[in-house]
Amino acid sequence: MPQFLFGLVYLLILTRFIWPLELPLSVKIVVAALALVALQFHRWSKLSSGSVFSPEFPRPVVAIFNWAFGTLVLLALLQLMLDAGLLFALPIHGGPLSAPDGVRYGLAGLASIAAATAVHQAMRIPPLKDVDVRIPGLPRPFDGYSILQLTDLHISRLFPASWARAVVERSNELGVDLIAITGDLIDGTLEARRVDIEPLRDLRAPDGVYVISGNHEYIFGYSMWMAHFAALGLLSLENRHIVIERNGGTLVLAGITDRASRHRGHPDRDLAAVLEGAPEGAPLILLDHQPGDARNAAALGVALQLSGHTHGGLILGLDRLAARANAGYVSGRYDVDGMTLYVNNGTALWPGFALRLGRPSELTRITLRQTSAT
């Protein structure tokens, strides 16, 4: 399906943008060939590593591919808007209309600048985002308790060791009580990513650094990666819960495997079983990579669910497509039957489509607050 869609993008650009330009045929052929090369980015990625999810080119090459690919996708959208405008003006003008070359060059320039901005926004070290969440029945000792949520780091050639080290340093400076990593830590095999992920060993928080899987862990060897996370000192919260105690108050933190486990021969997700034995009346916080099962979590008494996966929808406007694929949840805070769901835009994103416009990456500090005195 993606190749079919990219084929439509190429056909649109070829017939509605390149061909109408007043250029020599030889130039049009070269431009068309370059556009085809850029739109085959994922095919080149698969040739480089065996997987479209792990382009193993040097970082600048991956960035340039994303810029070129993004320029063409955005140009196709702008061309569709232009064609819609021309069709709308058709009855007014009384005949066919054609946009001058200057307009088309302007669209190309706009798409190019927007794509460059989007790649820069995707690759940067994310800024801090503070989110206060009021929890019913939160014990007084946990009022002000802070959790740093990291998610969708997608450590790869685009987000290598230097990037990971900067994220770790900034995270440790925040001095939070606990760090929760909600899946999709890597893109690539253990052999390819061993050095890049090493900085995560230095993450520090008084109550620990916990991790659950995302769907990408299942692509590159779930068991191997979860074992390596443990070797780095990241505590697995897969299908289990822990009880955090502070001055007589208790808080429950639970985690569950990603929905991809259903199709990979792993045990079915069973949140009820995960929560079994949790102290009665203690607020429940759940880590679940994808937000789509939030209503089930709410029905089981979860007070706060932290998720990622959607990358915030990447581009404002197009984020509606991501929302449709995730039960309507794509970015930010939601009230789900009395439970707070927070869908994180992601610390990074998949290097195969590294563009952000209006949906920035984030280091998310969740601070728990009481709703009333307890």
Side-chain angles (χ1 to χ4, degrees), residues 10 16 26 29 36 44 76 83 99 120 131 218 245 253 257 269-270 288-289 314 316 320 332 335 337 348:
Y10 182 69
R16 296 298 303 143
S26 59
I29 291 173
L36 183 60
W44 310 136
D83 287 347
H120 171 73
V131 178
Y218 291 88
E245 298 182 349
L253 181 69
T257 52
R269 287 158 46 96
D270 188 347
D288 189 354
H289 177 64
L314 299 175
L316 195 62
R320 293 300 91 201
D335 184 300
D337 301 333

Side-chain angles (χ1 to χ4, degrees), residues 90-121:
L90 191 84
I92 301 173
H93 185 264
L97 286 172
S98 178
D101 281 6
V103 172
R104 298 183 190 280
Y105 290 136
L107 292 182
L110 179 60
S112 176
I113 293 170
T117 302
V119 171
H120 171 73
Q121 291 290 309

Side-chain angles (χ1 to χ4, degrees), residues 270-335:
D270 188 347
L271 182 56
V274 170
L275 298 178
E276 188 174 343
E280 186 175 351
L284 302 172
I285 299 175
L286 174 66
L287 311 183
D288 189 354
H289 177 64
Q290 300 189 44
D293 288 340
R295 289 197 181 280
N296 178 55
L300 290 171
V302 173
L304 169 63
Q305 176 175 322
L306 301 180
S307 296
H309 180 65
T310 66
H311 303 159
L314 299 175
I315 298 174
L316 195 62
L318 295 183
D319 58 348
R320 293 300 91 201
L321 298 176
R324 290 176 64 87
N326 291 277
Y329 312 121
V330 65
S331 177
R333 187 198 307 255
Y334 299 88
D335 184 300

Side-chain angles (χ1 to χ4, degrees), residues 134-339:
R134 297 199 173 276
I135 303 290
L138 184 72
R140 185 179 298 278
F142 285 98
D143 187 38
Y145 190 84
S146 57
I147 301 171
L148 178 66
Q149 184 193 9
L150 305 176
T151 191
D152 298 275
L153 285 88
H154 290 280
I155 291 174
S156 57
R157 283 295 186 96
L158 193 61
F159 301 102
S162 58
W163 180 90
R165 191 174 302 109
V167 168
V168 168
E169 290 173 357
R170 185 167 295 186
S171 298
N172 287 341
E173 288 171 359
L174 297 175
V176 296
D177 295 298
L178 183 144
I179 296 175
I181 309 177
T182 50
D184 277 7
L185 282 73
I186 48 85
D187 273 313
T189 63
L190 179 55
E191 292 73 20
R193 297 283 84 82
R194 188 184 298 274
V195 173
D196 292 323
I197 200 169
E198 183 64 23
L200 268 60
R201 184 187 299 275
D202 295 327
L203 280 170
R204 295 287 183 269
D207 287 340
V209 180
Y210 290 89
V211 64
I212 60 168
S213 62
N215 53 306
H216 281 227
E217 274 73 41
Y218 291 88
I219 296 171
F220 294 105
Y222 169 83
S223 297
M224 187 184 307
W225 269 117
M226 294 308 295
H228 191 68
F229 295 158
L232 293 173
L234 310 179
L235 306 173
S236 173
L237 207 62
E238 295 275 271
N239 293 331
R240 72 184 187 99
H241 73 263
I242 61 167
V243 178
I244 304 171
E245 298 182 349
R246 177 173 286 189
N247 298 329
T250 58
L251 183 70
V252 175
L253 181 69
I256 195 166
T257 52
D258 184 69
R259 298 173 78 179
S261 64
R262 296 167 173 169
H263 313 294
R264 301 278 178 164
H266 294 269
D268 288 341
R269 287 158 46 96
D270 188 347
L271 182 56
V274 170
L275 298 178
E276 188 174 343
E280 186 175 351
L284 302 172
I285 299 175
L286 174 66
L287 311 183
D288 189 354
H289 177 64
Q290 300 189 44
D293 288 340
R295 289 197 181 280
N296 178 55
L300 290 171
V302 173
L304 169 63
Q305 176 175 322
L306 301 180
S307 296
H309 180 65
T310 66
H311 303 159
L314 299 175
I315 298 174
L316 195 62
L318 295 183
D319 58 348
R320 293 300 91 201
L321 298 176
R324 290 176 64 87
N326 291 277
Y329 312 121
V330 65
S331 177
R333 187 198 307 255
Y334 299 88
D335 184 300
V336 182
D337 301 333
M339 178 190 78

